[in-house]
Amino acid sequence: MKILVCISHVPDTTSKINFTDNNSAFDTTGVQYVINPYDEFALSRAMWFKEKQGATVTVITVGNATTEPTLRKCLAIGADDAIRINTEALDGFQVAKELAEVAKANAYDLILTGRESIDYNGAMVPGMLAALLDFNFINACVGVEIESGAVTASKEIDGGTETLATTLPAVIAGQKGLVEEKDLRIPNMRGIMMARKKPLAIVEPQTIEVATKAINFEKPAEKSACKLVDASNIDGLIDLLHNEAKVI
Amino acid sequence: MSVLVFAEASEGKFKKIAFEAVSYGKKVAEQLGVSLVALTINADNAAELAAYGAAKIIKVNNEVLKSFDAKITANIIQQVAEKEASQVVVIDSSSNGLYLAPLVAVNLNAGFASNVMAAPSSTTPFVVKRKAFSNKAFNNTEINTEVKVIGLAKNSFGIFENNTTASEEDFSPEIIASGVSSVGVNKASGKVTIADAEIVVSGGRGLKGPENWGLIEDLAEVLDAALACSKPVSDLGWRPHGEHVGQTGKPVASNLYIAIGISGAIQHVAGINASKVKVVINTDPEAPFFKVADYGIVGDAFEVVPELIEKLKAFKAQNS
Ligand SMILES: Cc1cc2nc3c(=O)[nH]c(=O)nc-3n(C[C@H](O)[C@H](O)[C@H](O)COP(=O)(O)OP(=O)(O)OC[C@H]3O[C@@H](n4cnc5c(N)ncnc54)[C@H](O)[C@@H]3O)c2cc1C
Ligand SMILES: Nc1ncnc2c1ncn2[C@@H]1O[C@H](COP(=O)(O)O)[C@@H](O)[C@H]1O
């Protein structure tokens, strides 16, 4: 089985969110970048398939040279090789088109992605990629098994889970549950040493007409301070929720 | 020319987000000076959509579509969008909406903006405001393609009545092959889900143990609220994983979120920030949740919550 894991390189959850250039660009000053948390579940599941069922695992990102440490980390975790498509995409459609081109050329059986990137929370790329490739697609996946090309997956739905059956080739966008949190892979010393020698190919982008672009950013208005209600004044809280906030 | 809204019915019934999507579509249609078309599949009472501004309601009724399939549904939306010459297609953020919207965008070769929270600030160029960075910022996005797909964030625009005389049309779409089939659904019946709830009551490690969850359950019952919890609570096995909310759990965008014994760590708040009004009950006045909450009580959950339940019961009895 040939597996491709799509990796999004994102600011760590605790990063300060600020903008520069007249609020047109994200301010990367002092920001720590990490593998998108959902993608870590995807990569860890890919490693499980590699070890238990035999598979090759390629990781791919669309991004500039600053994303390479993130790809090296994936190699240290155990991916066989990495691909970087050398462009800073302007939207998810562009990312999906770039990824689709490489995927077509390499005939992957399974493409694993995260449910969404924690930066723009777009939740666009996986579905678009599946549609562009005409692969079967499962979103919000919380568990996947594959036996000789037959895929059984469970996905989150509003209020529960649904079990779905499909076949390879497929795009599966997942989250916690693909593996349990305790089974997330982290690089060890040997992995880090080996990662240095593993191939990281740089692919030049195509020319893609951009469908959407971010013009500028805004921060939410400063929140007014929390209104404190004394613990002995529960009626006061109920009154505020009813008459002021109008939520009960 | 038209604006098309996919108004999803769940087991035949519309949820509030379907009405919100139609309300939003009406606004966009007015801005563009075109009419609003609503598409709905297997709805018991499709005519309800006229109350929110749909001028034409396209009804698909087909047994095969009883269980949701993203690819088939995306294809039906494409068929209708092409037939109705739709410039803008609006899809809500239910789990099904999130599943199918990117497919619709590819089918229509349309620019797609997800997490949209407001009507376009301009239509030429077409600019919408979106949530980004887990609600820590907004992003104004320009969509340049002829056809545009909008994923509407839940509880962001609101529901507006706009009584229209709507024409209704039955439509029998071509049904394509899917490739994915449903084997079974596991859903707790009768409970308010986090996705649908107006009010969510959430408990954290401050509640000390699963044996104390009766407090949270009772409060949720009076308020007809969904139950949620912080991540450590589900990791410790006190509550099922389906109740874990936050960055790595379910997102919450309710009208009211009540956090009890939850510190308000950044990863927790990232997932619940989209809720309109936030209330915190915590013994520690320094807990970070007080920085993001609208109302707060510094106090012991074991004293405050039982009294809150009693007082709310009395309030409900008076106000119903
Ligand atoms: C990558 C990553 C992702 C994460 N994702 C999530 C996520 O999705 N969701 C999530 O929730 N967390 C997430 N976390 C964990 C998060 O950082 C916090 O550890 C967690 O939210 C804390 O849970 P808590 O508030 O229940 O517990 P604590 O931090 O232990 O807080 C308990 C609170 O209860 C209060 N308290 C104690 N006794 C009482 C009492 N009698 N009455 C009232 N209050 C009382 C205390 O003052 C304290 O503020 C994530 C962490 C990481 C690193
Ligand atoms: N620039 C990128 N390069 C590679 N994969 C990406 C990129 N952006 C997003 N993805 C993948 O698509 C998933 C969903 O991202 P998004 O659509 O941006 O929310 C992520 O979890 C990644 O697996």
Side-chain angles (χ1 to χ4, degrees):
Chain A
M1 186 159 61
K2 280 180 75 172
I3 305 178
L4 181 68
V5 185
C6 301
I7 302 291
S8 179
H9 163 88
V10 297
D12 170 44
T13 31
T14 56
S15 304
K16 290 262 176 298
I17 306 296
N18 288 312
F19 302 98
T20 58
D21 290 345
N22 220 351
N23 285 330
S24 67
F26 177 63
D27 183 359
T28 56
T29 316
V31 170
Q32 184 81 24
Y33 277 85
V34 296
I35 303 176
N36 184 36
Y38 300 111
D39 306 357
E40 283 190 86
F41 289 97
L43 178 59
S44 297
R45 190 63 188 167
M47 291 310 303
W48 186 93
F49 283 125
K50 178 179 158 79
E51 286 156 16
K52 296 284 165 37
Q53 300 187 338
T56 59
V57 177
T58 302
V59 286
I60 189 166
T61 196
V62 179
N64 64 22
T66 62
T67 64
E68 286 192 10
T70 298
L71 285 178
R72 287 282 171 210
K73 186 174 172 199
C74 298
L75 293 172
I77 286 171
D80 297 295
D81 63 328
I83 301 172
R84 177 171 70 82
I85 304 178
N86 188 23
T87 184
E88 278 183 79
L90 293 178
D91 80 345
F93 210 161
Q94 190 188 353
V95 171
K97 284 178 174 167
E98 294 290 356
L99 293 172
E101 207 52 33
V102 171
K104 271 182 203 149
N106 292 287
Y108 297 102
D109 302 294
L110 174 65
I111 301 181
L112 289 169
T113 75
R115 172 182 93 185
E116 66 180 38
S117 306
I118 62 164
D119 48 3
Y120 294 98
N121 314 102
M124 299 166 75
V125 172
M128 289 185 142
L129 180 58
L132 289 166
L133 294 169
D134 199 20
F135 277 21
N136 292 322
F137 174 47
I138 293 173
N139 192 25
C141 184
V142 291
V144 58
E145 301 292 338
I146 300 176
E147 271 324 318
S148 34
V151 179
T152 311
S154 48
K155 89 176 282 293
E156 263 192 347
I157 53 173
D158 294 339
T161 54
E162 180 172 22
T163 308
L164 297 168
T166 189
T167 51
L168 296 179
V171 174
I172 293 186
Q175 57 199 67
K176 185 167 89 171
L178 284 181
V179 300
E180 285 315 315
E181 209 160 342
K182 62 173 176 32
D183 298 324
L184 279 176
R185 301 299 175 93
I186 44 167
N188 58 27
M189 211 45 212
R190 185 158 166 274
I192 294 168
M193 300 299 287
M194 284 173 56
R196 295 195 185 138
K197 299 200 193 71
K198 286 181 178 171
L200 191 164
I202 296 167
V203 175
E204 286 310 315
Q206 316 160 63
T207 346
I208 289 168
E209 229 179 290
V210 175
T212 74
K213 66 168 194 280
I215 337 176
N216 58 22
F217 296 88
E218 293 169 26
K219 296 235 272 185
E222 265 318 307
K223 231 192 64 48
S224 49
C226 178
K227 278 195 187 165
L228 287 180
V229 179
D230 199 85
S232 62
N233 182 20
I234 303 287
D235 284 322
L237 178 67
I238 294 177
D239 180 61
L240 285 167
L241 293 177
H242 181 60
N243 291 315
E244 186 176 271
K246 302 197 184 335
V247 287
I248 58 170
Chain B
M1 297 291 221
S2 68
V3 169
L4 175 66
V5 174
F6 174 57
E8 190 189 5
S10 167
E11 284 157 24
K13 306 271 180 297
F14 294 117
K15 292 187 177 164
K16 279 179 61 182
I17 49 174
F19 298 139
E20 184 174 28
V22 176
S23 305
Y24 182 86
K26 175 63 182 171
K27 177 74 186 169
V28 179
E30 276 172 7
Q31 285 177 289
L32 291 170
V34 299
S35 79
L36 177 64
V37 179
L39 161 67
T40 183
I41 298 177
N42 292 337
D44 295 340
N45 193 0
E48 279 173 25
L49 300 176
Y52 306 94
K56 181 172 183 178
I57 300 168
I58 298 190
K59 300 183 289 185
V60 171
N61 278 293
N62 190 322
E63 277 299 308
V64 177
L65 304 173
K66 276 267 146 69
S67 103
F68 173 82
D69 183 284
K71 186 171 174 180
I72 294 174
T73 311
N75 176 265
I76 295 173
I77 296 173
Q78 177 192 358
Q79 292 175 46
V80 174
E82 285 170 354
K83 178 169 102 59
E84 298 293 326
S86 306
Q87 298 151 273
V88 176
V89 178
V90 179
I91 296 169
D92 69 30
S93 298
S94 69
S95 65
N96 292 344
L98 293 173
Y99 195 176
L100 65 82
L103 310 183
V104 173
V106 172
N107 290 357
L108 293 169
N109 201 13
F112 171 38
S114 55
N115 279 317
V116 170
M117 51 174 290
S121 55
S122 130
T123 54
T124 36
F126 196 92
V127 178
V128 284
K129 193 186 215 182
R130 311 166 64 186
K131 302 182 181 189
F133 296 100
S134 307
N135 299 305
K136 282 180 272 187
F138 310 118
N139 161 2
N140 289 303
T141 294
E142 180 177 325
I143 313 182
N144 300 310
T145 46
E146 207 163 309
V147 181
K148 300 155 184 78
V149 174
I150 291 183
L152 183 65
K154 200 176 297 180
N155 231 339
S156 58
F157 182 74
I159 296 177
F160 298 95
E161 295 210 5
N162 210 322
N163 255 309
T164 327
T165 12
S167 64
E168 293 187 26
E169 178 184 311
D170 287 307
F171 177 62
S172 306
E174 186 197 338
I175 309 274
I176 59 167
S178 158
V180 177
S181 57
S182 176
V183 182
V185 168
N186 186 350
K187 224 170 165 172
S189 60
K191 275 212 276 177
V192 195
T193 67
I194 291 173
D196 294 335
E198 304 273 330
I199 303 179
V200 173
V201 174
S202 191
R205 202 150 51 183
L207 283 154
K208 313 281 190 279
E211 66 281 4
N212 297 324
W213 237 260
L215 268 184
I216 303 291
E217 285 168 332
D218 290 350
L219 180 58
E221 194 178 316
V222 208
L223 290 168
D224 198 18
L227 292 171
C229 68
S230 68
K231 180 169 176 297
V233 165
S234 67
D235 286 348
L236 289 163
W238 296 359
R239 299 298 300 171
H241 276 289
E243 288 181 14
H244 155 206
V245 296
Q247 177 99 63
T248 48
K250 284 204 170 65
V252 181
S254 54
N255 271 335
L256 174 60
Y257 182 80
I258 306 182
I260 302 166
I262 297 178
S263 58
I266 194 159
Q267 298 91 355
H268 182 87
V269 172
I272 60 96
N273 225 351
S275 292
K276 293 245 165 74
V277 176
K278 293 173 272 288
V279 174
V280 54
I281 299 170
N282 196 309
T283 41
D284 175 8
E286 300 297 320
F289 214 114
F290 286 100
K291 296 234 163 34
V292 295
D294 302 279
Y295 304 102
I297 291 183
V298 178
D300 186 335
F302 298 102
E303 289 160 19
V304 173
V305 178
E307 193 184 337
L308 181 59
I309 293 169
E310 287 319 309
K311 298 240 153 117
L312 276 170
K313 278 187 185 154
F315 166 83
K316 290 271 162 181
Q318 242 177 42
N319 285 271
S320 60

